[in-house]
Amino acid sequence: YERLGVEPHIYEVSASAYRGVLLEQENQTILVSGESGAGKTETVKIVLEHLATLEASSLSPGGGELAVKSNELVQKIIKSSPIFEAFGNAETLRNHNSSRFGKSTRLHFETLENGMLGLCGSTCQTYLLESNRVVSQAENERGFHIFYQFLAAPENI
């Protein structure tokens, strides 16, 4: 990409990683980083959905039952993000929903009968970057969202 003078496109990066696993049978890593508010969370969602699309298109015409299962798994992975965010996001001076944690999502693929890859699971590991925020925050900043969500919850929960 540097030689071409362009930034890598997220769809090309995810397709390249899929090809690397499929053809070279090597683990692949996609590191998504950036400043606060740069769109890291949305980029990860795009990668997951794109990988599911690549997989579904390789399964059979129309995708079939395996494609539906894969897409359901991807949706579960994506829907877990707000849980991690509640425990790891906080309001800062720069961003009302700033991630104060790192997250590593590992996708697990299996080789299917047709030689293609099928998503069969995932694991997620989080790293709290600002554990001091639990007990103290800077002026005009807040602690982690989960504390405020607990306080706002109905009493009968």
Side-chain angles (χ1 to χ4, degrees):
Y1 294 106
E2 190 174 311
R3 185 173 35 127
L4 297 172
V6 296
E7 294 291 321
H9 194 279
I10 193 60
Y11 291 110
E12 176 58 30
V13 170
S14 64
S16 178
Y18 183 82
R19 283 190 304 272
V21 172
L22 180 65
L23 301 176
E24 300 168 23
Q25 298 183 349
E26 292 285 334
N27 291 336
Q28 303 291 307
T29 300
I30 299 173
L31 178 64
V32 179
S33 65
E35 292 186 23
S36 179
K40 297 175 292 293
T41 301
E42 291 304 312
T43 300
V44 170
K45 289 179 190 177
I46 290 168
V47 168
L48 289 170
E49 290 175 345
H50 186 239
L51 288 170
T53 302
L54 290 172
E55 175 193 2
S57 66
S58 69
L59 294 172
S60 64
E65 184 180 325
L66 288 173
V68 171
K69 285 184 180 178
S70 172
N71 192 46
E72 288 174 358
L73 183 55
V74 167
Q75 293 308 313
K76 286 180 182 179
I77 295 168
I78 291 171
K79 287 180 180 178
S80 71
S81 287
I83 297 167
F84 291 112
E85 291 172 8
F87 282 92
N89 285 15
E91 184 173 329
T92 66
L93 293 174
R94 293 182 59 187
N95 187 338
H96 292 294
N97 194 34
S98 182
S99 297
R100 311 321 300 155
F101 71 104
K103 180 170 68 170
S104 171
T105 302
R106 179 176 286 205
L107 302 178
H108 306 280
F109 291 92
E110 62 184 347
T111 304
L112 304 172
E113 291 177 14
N114 65 359
M116 302 306 285
L117 298 174
L119 184 63
C120 63
S122 77
T123 54
C124 188
Q125 186 169 5
T126 58
Y127 308 89
L128 193 57
L129 302 175
E130 288 188 354
S131 56
N132 63 325
R133 186 174 288 275
V134 172
V135 294
S136 67
Q137 302 84 39
E139 188 176 340
N140 296 322
E141 292 193 354
R142 289 176 32 153
F144 296 107
H145 294 328
I146 192 67
F147 298 128
Y148 302 97
Q149 291 168 346
F150 281 149
L151 292 173
E155 288 186 28
N156 60 352
I157 290 185

